[in-house]
Amino acid sequence: DLFKRIRAECFWIGLRNSTSSGWIWEDGSVLSGAKVLFNSPVQNCALLMKDQFHASSCEVPAPWVCEKMLR
């Protein structure tokens, strides 16, 4: 499992809260079929933590999980 190898508890995943569209991915697509857990209106970025999306302040230091297109 990749997450166990990296040994981090949470990861940035490129998901942010847009006031007009709700939660959106970096490519502009809207999050569908999943819920982001949050407890503060200033939490505008989302982390992946234990198989769930958690809202967080965008300044929290955490490693990134990025998608890369295969050629």
Side-chain angles (χ1 to χ4, degrees):
D1 182 85
L2 174 65
F3 297 140
K4 288 179 183 170
R5 269 191 241 154
I6 296 173
R7 295 177 191 261
E9 291 188 15
C10 58
F11 301 87
W12 288 120
I13 52 173
L15 187 60
R16 63 185 169 83
N17 196 2
S18 163
T19 53
S20 60
S21 304
W23 289 95
I24 59 171
W25 295 104
E26 283 295 315
D27 68 359
S29 61
V30 176
L31 175 67
S32 62
K35 184 178 177 182
V36 177
L37 306 173
F38 67 96
N39 57 14
S40 170
V42 298
Q43 297 175 320
N44 290 316
C45 291
L47 292 163
L48 177 62
M49 196 179 318
K50 296 182 181 171
D51 299 327
Q52 292 182 316
F53 297 139
H54 289 264
S56 176
S57 163
C58 300
E59 287 80 35
V60 171
W64 277 92
V65 174
C66 299
E67 178 182 49
K68 184 174 182 179
M69 190 81 88
L70 296 176
R71 294 180 198 205

